C-alpha cells in the first residue's frame, strides 16, 4: 500500500502520545515487568526504559517519553519529549523510530502531535489505541484509510487488554517503513514561501538538520518576539531576516501563530472526514452520567470528601498492621543481633544506629505504598482531573493550580507521596511552591506527639455544649497546618517565586476502569525510588544521631543518665537559652534534636529521658504521661510541662521540618540542596516565631 | 451574528470560535494547539461547583479552562 519505503534500524524505539491516550498501558503491555525508571539528568522528568523482545528474538530498547500534546514545549515533560525526538540531548540519542499512541475516540486532537512528529522525519508507526472505547461511543476509525492518508503504518490496539500488541511488534520487526511525506498540510501564501526560505537559511547557514530546520522555522515564524526568545541561539543575520519577515506578514494582517496551527488542523480535519465514521450518539455517555454527580454542586464535594476520608481511613487502619509487623520485625532483628554479637559499641551502632534508622524509613513504607496506590487509582480512572476541576477555585485564591490540591491533601498522611505527586504540575515555580508548603500539612508522624501532649495536658472535657476540648485541640493542630501551608503558598507566590496564577487549561478525560497492572507497577516504582533515595540519607543521619546520643561514654548509670551526658544531651542544654523563650527546657531540646530524623522519635526520646521503657523498647504511654505531668524543675520548682508548654510544643511540631525523609525527597525532586535547605530554614523559623508569640501571649493571659 | 466571550455562554449553549484575544502568547498557543481554532464548534458542558473553571466540548473531547481565559475566546453565537 505504500509506494516508497525505507529500511530502518530498530535498536532504540521511543513511545510517545498525548496524556490519557493509554501510552503507559501500551508501554507496559510491550515491556512487561522489564523496565527501569531513572531521571533525565538535571530535570525531574521520569525516564522510563524497557526491553521488548521481537519475534525474531532480537531485543530492542523502548523509551517511554513523557506525555505531550505538542512539540511546542509548555511543560518540562513536553520539553524533554521534543528534545529527545530532535536529538538535542547528549545523554539520550534520538530514537530509530517512534511508536505514536493515539486515542481512537479523540483522534482529531491526538493527530496534531502526530502531524508534528511526521514533520520531524523520524520513522513512525501509529498505535490506534482504545478502539473498543471509540466503538462504544459510535466512532469507527478505518486504520487502512488512516494509514494511507498519513503515510505511516497504523495498528489498531487495546493496550489494557493486550490486543494488537503482536501486530505492533510485527510491524516493528519488518524494519521497513514508508518514507515520510514532510509537511502534508498546506500553508497559505505568503507564509509558505517565507517558511521555505527560512528553512533553507537554517539548513545552509546554521547547518541544522532537515527536521530541526523545519521545526525551528515554524517556531521562529510564529514567535511574538524573536530577539527576546531566540537571541543567542541563531546567527544574528538570520534573526534580522526573521524580524523583517514578521514586519511584512504583520503588515498585511496575517496572524502568524494561528495560521500555522489552523493549517495543521485543517489537514487533520480532512483526514478525519475520510478515515472516521461517526454515528450520532443517542445516549448520554457514561462519563457524562458520572460527571453529573461527581462535579455536582453538593454531591461533588460530598463524594470528594468521602473519597478522601476513605483514603485516610484506609491508610490509618489497613497500614497499621503491616507497620506494626515491620517494626516488630526490626525489633526482633535487633534482638537477634544482640544475642549473637558481644556487647560493645559496634553492636550498639548496628542496633540503635543502623537498624533503628532503616527501620524508621521502612516502617512508614506500608503507608506510603497505600497512598501511592490510592493516588494511582484516582489518576488512572480520570478522577484526579475532576478533583483539580472542583478545587481549582480554592487553589487559585492562593495563586496555585487545581493540581496542587492532591499533593497537599495526601500530605495529611505523609508529605513524601505528596511531594512526588507534584510532578503533574506543569509550571516549575508552582510545583516548587507546592513542594515547599506540603510538609506543613500535619502528617501521621505528628500524631503520636499530639496524642501524648493532649493526653497528658488537655483535659477531655466538654466545651460549648457538644465539643470535646481534647478533640478540638487536635482538630486545631490540623487546621493550623493547613492554614500555614496555604498562607505560605500565597506568600511565596507573591514574593520569592513570584509568578502569575498558572493558567488552567486541562483536559477532562473520559472515565475508565483503572488498569491495575499500570497502577501497581507505578506504585512499586515510586516506592522503590523512595526507599533508595531516602534510605541512604536516613542511614547516614541516623548513624550521626546515634553517635551524638552515645558519646562521650558515661560508663555507669541508667540510659537516662547516659543520654543526659551525651553530645545530644549537651546540645540540648546548650540549646536551652535558645529555646527558653518558647517555654522549652533542655530535655525538650534533646527531644527536638533527636527527632530531627523523624518526628515521632520525640516520644521515645522522652521515654528514655524519663527512664521508662517497656519490654519492647517503646515507652509505656500512660506512665510517660504521669512523669511528664509530675516533672518539676529542681531550680525554680516549677513544672517543666504546663498546658501552655504542651500547646507550644505541638505548634512547634506542626510547623517545623522535623523529617529527614522529606528533606531527602525534596533534594531529589528539586535536584540539589538549595531548596531543601531553604525549606528547613523557613519552616524552623516559622515554627520558632509562632511558638514564641503563642508562649508569650499565653503567659500574659494565664 | 454577534461575538461574545466564551465565559458568557451557559451550560448547553453552543457557539463557533472566532478570534482568540488572549494577551499571553503562550496561552494563545496552547489554546490553539488544544484545537480551539477559528470556525470550530464548541459547547459549554458545565461550570465547576464553585463557579470557576468551566468545562467545554470541542473536537470530540472535553477541556476545562478558567473564566479569565474563556473571556478572551470570542464566540459567534447564533442568537442575535
Amino acid at each position: 500500500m505504500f509506494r516508497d519505503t525505507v529500511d530502518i534500524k530498530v535498536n532504540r524505539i521511543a513511545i510517545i502520545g498525548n496524556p490519557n491516550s493509554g501510552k503507559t498501558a501500551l508501554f507496559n503491555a510491550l515491556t512487561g515487568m522489564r523496565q527501569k525508571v531513572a531521571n533525565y539528568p538535571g530535570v525531574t522528568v521520569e525516564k522510563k526504559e524497557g526491553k521488548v523482545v521481537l519475534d525474531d528474538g532480537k531485543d530492542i530498547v523502548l523509551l517511554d517519553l513523557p506525555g505531550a500534546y505538542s512539540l511546542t514545549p509548555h511543560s518540562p515533560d513536553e520539553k524533554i519529549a521534543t528534545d529527545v525526538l530532535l536529538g538535542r540531548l547528549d545523554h539520550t540519542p534520538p530514537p530509530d523510530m517512534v511508536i505514536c499512541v493515539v486515542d481512537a475516540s479523540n483522534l482529531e486532537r491526538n493527530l496534531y502531535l502526530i502531524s508534528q512528529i511526521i514533520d520531524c522525519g523520524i520513522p513512525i508507526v501509529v498505535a490506534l489505541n482504545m478502539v473498543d472505547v471509540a466503538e462504544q461511543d459510535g466512532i469507527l476509525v478505518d486504520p487502512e484509510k488512516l494509514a494511507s492518508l498519513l503515510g505511516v503504518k497504523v495498528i489498531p490496539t487495546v493496550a489494557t487488554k493486550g490486543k494488537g500488541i503482536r501486530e505492533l511488534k510485527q510491524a516493528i520487526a519488518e524494519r521497513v517503513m514508508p518514507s515520510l511525506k514532510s509537511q502534508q498540510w498546506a500553508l497559505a501564501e505568503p507564509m509558505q514561501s517565507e517558511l521555505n526560505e527560512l528553512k533553507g537559511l537554517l539548513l545552509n547557514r546554521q547547518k541544522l538538520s532537515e527536521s530541526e530546520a523545519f521545526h525551528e522555522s515554524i517556531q521562529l515564524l510564529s514567535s511574538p518576539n524573536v530577539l527576546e526568545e531566540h537571541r543567542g541561539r541563531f546567527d544574528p543575520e538570520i534573526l534580522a531576516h526573521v524580524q523583517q519577515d514578521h514586519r511584512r506578514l504583520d503588515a498585511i494582517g496575517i496572524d502568524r501563530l494561528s495560521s500555522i496551527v489552523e493549517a495543521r488542523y485543517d489537514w487533520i480535519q480532512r483526514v478525519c472526514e475520510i478515515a472516521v465514521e461517526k454515528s450520532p450518539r443517542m445516549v448520554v455517555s457514561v462519563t457524562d452520567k458520572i460527571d453529573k454527580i461527581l462535579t455536582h454542586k453538593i454531591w461533588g464535594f460530598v463524594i470528594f470528601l468521602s473519597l478522601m476520608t476513605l483514603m485516610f481511613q484506609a491508610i490509618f487502619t489497613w497500614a497499621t498492621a503491616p507497620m506494626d509487623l515491620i517494626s516488630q520485625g526490626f525489633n526482633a532483628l535487633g534482638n537477634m543481633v544482640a544475642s549473637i554479637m558481644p556487647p560493645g559499641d559496634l553492636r550498639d551502632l548496628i542496633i540503635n544506629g543502623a537498624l533503628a534508622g532503616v527501620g524508621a524509613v521502612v516502617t512508614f513504607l506500608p503507608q506510603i505504598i497505600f497512598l501511592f496506590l490510592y493516588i494511582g487509582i484516582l489518576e488512572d480512572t480520570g478522577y484526579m482531573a475532576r478533583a483539580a476541576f472542583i478545587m481549582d477555585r480554592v487553589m487559585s485564591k492562593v495563586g496555585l493550580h487545581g493540581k496542587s490540591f492532591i499533593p497537599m491533601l495526601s500530605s495529611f498522611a505523609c508529605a513524601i507521596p505528596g511531594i512526588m505527586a507534584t510532578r503533574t504540575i506543569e509550571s516549575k515555580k508552582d510545583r516548587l511552591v507546592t513542594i515547599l508548603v506540603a510538609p506543613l500539612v500535619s502528617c501521621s508522624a505528628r500524631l503520636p506527639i499530639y496524642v501524648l501532649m493532649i493526653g497528658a495536658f488537655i483535659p477531655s472535657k466538654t466545651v460549648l455544649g457538644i465539643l470535646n476540648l481534647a478533640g478540638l485541640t487536635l482538630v486545631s493542630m490540623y487546621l493550623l497546618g493547613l492554614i500555614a501551608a496555604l498562607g505560605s503558598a500565597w506568600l511565596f507566590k507573591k514574593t520569592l517565586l513570584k509568578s502569575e496564577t498558572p493558567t488552567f487549561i486541562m483536559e477532562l478525560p473520559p472515565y475508565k476502569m483503572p488498569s491495575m497492572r499500570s497502577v501497581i507497577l507505578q506504585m512499586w516504582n515510586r516506592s522503590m525510588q523512595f526507599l533508595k533515595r531516602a534510605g541512604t540519607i536516613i542511614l547516614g543521619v541516623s548513624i550521626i544521631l546515634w553517635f551524638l546520643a552515645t558519646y562521650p561514654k558515661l560508663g555507669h548509670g541508667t540510659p537516662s543518665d547516659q543520654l543526659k551526658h551525651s553530645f545530644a544531651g549537651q546540645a540540648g542544654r546548650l540549646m536551652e537559652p535558645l529555646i527558653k523563650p518558647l517555654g522549652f527546657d533542655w530535655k525538650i531540646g534533646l527531644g527536638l534534636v533527636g527527632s530531627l530524623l523523624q518526628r515521632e522519635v520525640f516520644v521515645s526520646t522522652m521515654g528514655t529521658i524519663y527512664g521508662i521503657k517497656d519490654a519492647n523498647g517503646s515507652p509505656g504511654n500512660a506512665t510517660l504521661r504521669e512523669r511528664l505531668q509530675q516533672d518539676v524543675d529542681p531550680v525554680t520548682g516549677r513544672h517543666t510541662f504546663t498546658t501552655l508548654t504542651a500547646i507550644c510544643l505541638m505548634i512547634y511540631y506542626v510547623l517545623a521540618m522535623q523529617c529527614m525523609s522529606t528533606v531527602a525527597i525534596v533534594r531529589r525532586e528539586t535536584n540539589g540542596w538549595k531548596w531543601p535547605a531553604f525549606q528547613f530554614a523557613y519552616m524552623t523559623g516559622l515554627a520558632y516565631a509562632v511558638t514564641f508569640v503563642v508562649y508569650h501571649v499565653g503567659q500574659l493571659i494565664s | 451574528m454577534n461575538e461574545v466571550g466564551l465565559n458568557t455562554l451557559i451550560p448547553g449553549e453552543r457557539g463557533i470560535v472566532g478570534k482568540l484575544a488572549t494577551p499571553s502568547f503562550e496561552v494563545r498557543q496552547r489554546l490553539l494547539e488544544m484545537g480551539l481554532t477559528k470556525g470550530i464548534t464548541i459547547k459549554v458542558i458545565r461550570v465547576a461547583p464553585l463557579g470557576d473553571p468551566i468545562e467545554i466540548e470541542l473536537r470530540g473531547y472535553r477541556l476545562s479552562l478558567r473564566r479569565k481565559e474563556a473571556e478572551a475566546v470570542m464566540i459567534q453565537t447564533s442568537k442575535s
Side-chain angles (χ1 to χ4, degrees):
Chain A
M1 96 187 258
F2 302 107
R3 218 177 315 142
D4 301 316
T5 55
V6 281
D7 297 336
I8 57 158
K9 288 189 300 177
V10 288
N11 300 326
R12 285 179 54 81
I13 295 182
I15 188 164
I16 191 170
N18 282 187
N20 310 309
S21 61
K23 186 174 63 70
T24 308
L26 190 71
F27 178 80
N28 291 339
L30 281 166
T31 59
M33 296 293 278
R34 288 156 300 190
Q35 43 183 268
K36 63 170 199 243
V37 186
N39 268 15
Y40 288 94
V43 285
T44 47
V45 176
E46 241 169 46
K47 181 178 185 177
K48 218 157 56 173
E49 273 183 344
K51 212 169 70 176
V52 183
V53 186
L54 296 180
D55 290 347
D56 56 12
K58 288 266 167 56
D59 281 356
I60 51 171
V61 176
L62 188 64
L63 173 67
D64 186 16
L65 288 175
Y69 289 111
S70 100
L71 295 185
T72 325
H74 288 271
S75 68
D77 277 6
E78 287 181 332
K79 186 164 169 13
I80 283 286
T82 311
D83 287 350
V84 170
L85 285 185
L86 292 173
R88 286 171 177 166
L89 302 176
D90 296 332
H91 49 76
T92 314
D96 301 322
M97 68 166 278
V98 288
I99 299 169
C100 195
V101 192
V102 296
D103 173 0
S105 64
N106 182 5
L107 200 58
E108 270 187 44
R109 202 209 55 224
N110 275 255
L111 284 183
Y112 188 83
L113 178 70
I114 298 231
S115 140
Q116 286 182 315
I117 295 172
I118 292 176
D119 288 342
C120 281
I122 303 172
I124 164 178
V125 51
V126 170
L128 184 64
N129 199 23
M130 306 208 250
V131 279
D132 55 340
V133 179
E135 258 173 58
Q136 281 166 19
D137 287 352
I139 299 167
L140 289 176
V141 184
D142 185 330
E144 284 183 15
K145 278 186 190 161
L146 188 62
S148 76
L149 287 164
L150 298 176
V152 302
K153 290 184 190 174
V154 174
I155 314 289
T157 57
V158 182
T160 46
K161 294 180 185 143
K163 282 188 191 154
I165 302 301
R166 211 161 44 107
E167 291 81 354
L168 190 58
K169 282 189 187 174
Q170 275 166 4
I172 298 166
E174 285 166 9
R175 294 178 169 77
V176 176
M177 289 287 156
S179 36
L180 295 170
K181 287 172 263 173
S182 174
Q183 206 204 335
Q184 301 175 76
W185 42 284
L187 207 46
E189 288 300 346
M191 281 289 282
Q192 186 63 55
S193 7
E194 302 282 12
L195 181 66
N196 295 345
E197 195 189 347
L198 188 55
K199 184 182 153 196
L201 269 178
L202 291 176
L203 274 173
N204 301 324
R205 297 273 293 276
Q206 200 84 31
K207 301 284 174 230
L208 292 185
S209 69
E210 180 81 23
S211 56
E212 269 255 64
F214 186 73
H215 183 80
E216 293 291 2
S217 325
I218 289 176
Q219 301 300 321
L220 285 170
L221 266 187
S222 43
S223 167
N225 186 342
V226 263
L227 283 189
E228 206 174 274
E229 286 195 9
H230 299 280
R231 190 198 293 276
R233 292 184 58 222
F234 297 99
D235 191 327
E237 277 181 45
I238 292 181
L239 289 182
H241 176 93
V242 176
Q243 275 191 300
Q244 275 182 3
D245 287 350
H246 282 189
R247 272 194 289 271
R248 252 198 321 274
L249 293 165
D250 293 348
I252 51 173
I254 288 180
D255 186 333
R256 292 176 279 111
L257 170 64
S258 65
S259 61
I260 294 174
V261 181
E262 278 161 14
R264 259 192 221 281
Y265 265 118
D266 284 346
W267 173 72
I268 291 168
Q269 256 169 291
R270 279 198 302 279
V271 168
C272 288
E273 272 161 25
I274 301 170
V276 184
E277 205 179 304
K278 274 186 199 171
S279 51
R281 236 182 4 213
M282 286 302 163
V283 287
V284 182
S285 76
V286 180
T287 292
D288 262 332
K289 281 184 198 156
I290 299 174
D291 263 341
K292 272 232 164 69
I293 304 164
L294 293 190
T295 61
H296 185 266
K297 270 195 171 79
I298 298 154
W299 293 118
F301 286 105
V302 171
I303 291 170
F304 180 70
L305 285 176
S306 324
L307 279 174
M308 295 307 131
T309 315
L310 181 74
M311 167 167 108
F312 290 119
Q313 201 64 37
I315 287 160
F316 287 122
T317 53
W318 300 341
T320 319
M323 282 170 84
D324 289 346
L325 215 63
I326 291 173
S327 105
Q328 279 164 17
F330 269 92
N331 275 336
L333 203 62
N335 291 338
M336 205 182 75
V337 174
S339 66
I340 51 173
M341 278 182 76
D345 281 3
L346 184 63
R347 185 180 92 171
D348 201 34
L349 170 67
I350 291 173
I351 297 171
N352 294 324
L355 277 180
V358 175
V361 173
V362 180
T363 310
F364 271 87
L365 200 60
Q367 215 177 65
I368 287 170
I369 287 179
F370 265 115
L371 264 173
F372 279 142
L373 181 70
Y374 206 80
I375 292 176
I377 292 172
L378 291 187
E379 267 173 4
D380 214 48
T381 49
Y383 183 73
M384 212 58 126
R386 271 71 185 187
F389 181 68
I390 49 180
M391 292 312 294
D392 180 65
R393 184 76 194 268
V394 178
M395 298 312 287
S396 68
K397 290 266 186 248
V398 295
L400 290 175
H401 191 280
K403 282 183 184 170
S404 292
F405 189 73
I406 293 294
M408 286 179 64
L409 199 79
S410 96
S411 301
F412 273 113
C414 175
I416 288 156
I419 285 166
M420 286 168 85
T422 60
R423 290 184 173 189
T424 54
I425 300 169
E426 281 131 30
S427 145
K428 217 173 156 181
K429 281 185 179 174
D430 291 303
R431 176 161 179 260
L432 196 53
V433 170
T434 313
I435 290 175
L436 287 178
V437 305
L440 284 169
V441 176
S442 272
C443 66
S444 61
R446 285 156 165 117
L447 200 57
I449 300 168
Y450 299 160
V451 168
L452 178 68
M453 287 298 138
I454 291 175
F457 299 101
I458 310 289
S460 176
K461 67 180 181 198
T462 307
V463 285
L464 299 171
I466 44 163
L467 298 168
N468 180 294
L469 190 59
L472 205 60
T473 313
L474 188 63
V475 171
S476 313
M477 291 305 142
Y478 278 90
L479 272 180
L480 174 68
L482 191 62
I483 292 166
L486 291 175
S488 308
W490 177 82
L491 192 69
F492 288 142
K493 284 288 295 189
K494 287 276 172 209
T495 53
L496 196 62
L497 294 159
K498 198 174 167 66
S499 57
E500 293 283 307
T501 300
T503 49
F504 186 86
I505 300 169
M506 189 186 65
E507 183 185 0
L508 291 168
Y511 289 106
K512 65 179 179 69
M513 285 303 286
S515 148
M516 283 327 276
R517 185 188 168 124
S518 299
V519 169
I520 288 172
L521 258 174
Q522 177 171 327
M523 175 192 89
W524 177 255
N525 285 337
R526 286 185 178 170
S527 307
M528 287 306 112
Q529 279 176 22
F530 160 71
L531 267 192
K532 253 188 274 174
R533 302 292 166 144
T536 42
I537 291 185
I538 295 287
L539 185 63
V541 174
S542 54
I543 288 174
I544 294 170
L545 284 177
W546 167 82
F547 177 83
L548 293 178
T550 314
Y551 293 95
K553 284 274 186 189
L554 191 59
H556 55 83
T558 61
S560 169
D561 294 333
Q562 166 59 38
L563 191 56
K564 286 171 199 166
H565 183 71
S566 70
F567 289 122
Q570 292 172 28
R573 244 174 296 230
L574 213 64
M575 269 172 71
E576 203 173 46
L578 202 66
I579 54 175
K580 198 102 202 176
L582 308 181
F584 301 161
D585 77 335
W586 68 269
K587 278 174 274 185
I588 299 179
L590 177 52
L592 292 181
V593 174
S595 64
L596 275 176
L597 177 69
Q598 188 171 297
R599 296 179 175 93
E600 75 271 32
V601 170
F602 179 81
V603 178
S604 61
T605 310
M606 285 297 119
T608 313
I609 295 174
Y610 288 100
I612 25 170
K613 284 223 166 190
D614 60 23
N616 290 326
S618 56
N621 226 333
T623 25
L624 182 56
R625 274 182 211 168
E626 282 167 28
R627 292 292 178 87
L628 292 179
Q629 286 163 350
Q630 289 155 5
D631 189 29
V632 169
D633 190 314
V635 183
T636 60
R638 276 194 295 208
H639 280 285
T640 306
F641 283 93
T642 60
T643 305
L644 183 59
T645 328
I647 290 173
C648 285
L649 192 64
M650 283 191 281
I651 291 176
Y652 189 87
Y653 272 100
V654 169
L655 301 172
M657 169 70 126
Q658 302 269 102
C659 177
M660 282 303 140
S661 304
T662 308
V663 173
I665 287 302
V666 173
R667 195 206 80 86
R668 173 194 148 80
E669 293 294 316
T670 59
N671 265 311
W673 284 109
K674 180 178 145 200
W675 289 108
F678 168 75
Q679 186 175 31
F680 187 85
Y682 104 80
M683 285 179 67
T684 310
L686 181 68
Y688 192 92
V690 174
T691 312
F692 181 88
V693 171
V694 171
Y695 181 64
H696 286 271
V697 171
Q699 270 191 320
L700 283 178
I701 295 170
S702 56
Chain B
M1 282 289 185
N2 59 340
E3 284 211 328
V4 294
L6 170 57
N7 60 317
T8 60
L9 266 58
I10 57 166
E13 262 190 298
R14 285 169 203 273
I16 293 166
V17 175
K19 207 167 126 56
L20 297 192
T22 317
S24 149
F25 174 81
E26 292 260 314
V27 176
R28 202 159 82 91
Q29 187 172 41
R30 172 92 318 182
L31 289 174
L32 284 166
E33 290 188 327
M34 294 301 274
L36 216 61
T37 56
K38 203 170 185 166
I40 211 80
T41 303
I42 58 112
K43 180 183 173 190
V44 175
I45 301 296
R46 62 172 58 82
V47 175
L50 297 174
D52 201 16
I54 62 170
E55 177 181 346
I56 61 169
E57 185 176 73
L58 74 152
R59 296 186 186 273
Y61 83 100
R62 300 294 175 80
L63 187 72
S64 66
L65 65 166
R66 292 207 187 107
R67 287 183 178 281
K68 187 169 166 276
E69 270 87 51
E71 229 170 76
V73 179
M74 301 317 286
I75 299 292
Q76 298 161 353
T77 53
S78 35
K79 287 188 297 183
S80 51

